[in-house]
Amino acid sequence: MSTEIITFEEGWPFVQKGVTKLIRNLEGELEPPINSAEYMEVYTTVVSMCRQNLISQQLYDKYREVIEDYTIQTVLPSLREKHDEYMLKELVKRWKNHKVLVRYLARFFYYLERYFVRLGGIPTLREVGFTCFRDLVYREMQSTATEVLLALIHKERKGEQIDRELVENVLEVYAEIGMGTMEKYEEDLERFMLQDTVSYYTRKASMWMKECSSSDYLLKCDECLKMEKERVNYYLYSSTEPKLVEVCYL
């Protein structure tokens, strides 16, 4: 399409076609990736529509709606049907796909971002996209994900093998969903993990004091402290280490 001014009703079907194809690519459907000609068709259509300020607001709202619809209709059902580690794997996959979706949509809507969003002082397209995932997916799945993560850490403390890479990838979701802060990681995972650590070692210490000599008790404490520090290196964030060491001494 040319970059002449067009109405929302005329232009949106061209944009919707590109967005639909992008989503099908993300879902692994048998469809060729978007080529440069298709990308330019979507981009120039957005440019033409953005030349009218009222349409810019419509496009901004539609951008959010597209992400929300995909999340509600496809992403959430795929997570709700899975449990335990399979749910964690799906959460990691869906977050990675979501970041790709937001990145490509930002390219489609670049003109909107540059001349409407930035000048209007409103949330960026990236912020809108991440907020959709946080509000619709993360808020629903987070408590369950935390329970599964704590169970895996507990298994590892007992000497069982766990998928450390999976744990690391899930914690990355917690960190990135904070959009520049560690708030979600600290509030939704770290504080519960620290509480769980206190409970675990309180029980262990009580048992060791009954069964072990003083020297053996101290050796066990040193060994556990070393293991907890290693846990930070494997998948926890470095900011957790001093807090973890502190609760181990309680």
Side-chain angles (χ1 to χ4, degrees), residues 107-226:
R107 294 177 184 176
F108 287 164
F109 291 85
Y110 175 74
Y111 194 91
L112 180 74
E113 177 86 59
R114 184 175 179 183
Y115 292 101
F116 177 73
V117 174
R118 293 179 186 174
L119 295 177
I122 56 180
T124 66
L125 298 182
R126 181 178 183 272
E127 289 169 344
V128 170
F130 279 24
T131 299
C132 286
F133 193 93
R134 183 196 67 197
D135 293 349
L136 295 172
V137 177
Y138 180 81
R139 283 183 180 173
E140 177 174 331
M141 307 307 301
Q142 171 268 315
S143 60
T144 303
T146 296
E147 289 178 7
V148 178
L149 286 169
L150 293 179
L152 287 172
I153 294 172
H154 187 70
K155 285 175 64 176
E156 188 176 52
R157 282 181 174 139
K158 293 194 299 181
E160 298 180 42
Q161 292 280 353
I162 67 168
D163 187 343
R164 287 172 170 168
E165 184 178 1
L166 173 62
V167 175
E168 181 182 17
N169 289 337
V170 177
L171 295 188
E172 189 176 276
V173 178
Y174 282 70
E176 292 181 346
I177 210 71
M179 293 186 283
T181 75
M182 295 296 285
E183 178 184 355
K184 296 301 179 186
Y185 168 80
E186 292 172 351
E187 291 186 359
D188 297 337
L189 185 281
E190 184 186 70
R191 70 186 180 100
F192 293 108
M193 189 272 294
L194 293 174
Q195 291 170 7
D196 199 53
T197 301
V198 171
S199 298
Y200 178 79
Y201 284 116
T202 298
R203 294 192 301 271
K204 280 291 185 180
S206 178
M207 181 181 69
W208 293 336
M209 283 189 286
K210 294 177 182 177
E211 298 176 354
C212 303
S213 64
S214 298
S215 58
D216 286 343
Y217 175 85
L218 292 175
L219 284 173
K220 286 184 177 294
C221 289
D222 287 341
E223 181 182 341
C224 289
L225 187 59
K226 179 183 177 182

Side-chain angles (χ1 to χ4, degrees), residues 216-240:
D216 286 343
Y217 175 85
L218 292 175
L219 284 173
K220 286 184 177 294
C221 289
D222 287 341
E223 181 182 341
C224 289
L225 187 59
K226 179 183 177 182
M227 288 172 56
E228 294 303 321
K229 289 182 177 180
E230 288 177 350
R231 206 177 317 286
V232 174
N233 292 331
Y234 288 133
Y235 48 76
L236 296 171
Y237 282 83
S238 58
S239 59
T240 300

Side-chain angles (χ1 to χ4, degrees), residues 1-6 40-41 44-49 51:
M1 293 188 78
S2 68
T3 53
E4 63 186 18
I5 295 176
I6 59 175
M40 284 305 301
E41 181 176 52
T44 55
T45 300
V46 170
V47 171
S48 298
M49 296 165 73
R51 289 184 173 181

Side-chain angles (χ1 to χ4, degrees), residues 6-49:
I6 59 175
T7 66
F8 182 85
E9 289 71 22
E10 291 172 327
W12 180 250
F14 291 92
V15 179
Q16 181 71 68
K17 180 182 177 183
V19 171
T20 299
K21 186 166 187 177
L22 171 60
I23 288 173
R24 286 176 178 167
N25 289 159
L26 283 175
E27 290 302 305
E29 297 182 20
L30 296 176
E31 181 157 351
I34 293 175
N35 57 45
S36 57
E38 291 170 320
Y39 164 75
M40 284 305 301
E41 181 176 52
V42 176
Y43 176 80
T44 55
T45 300
V46 170
V47 171
S48 298
M49 296 165 73

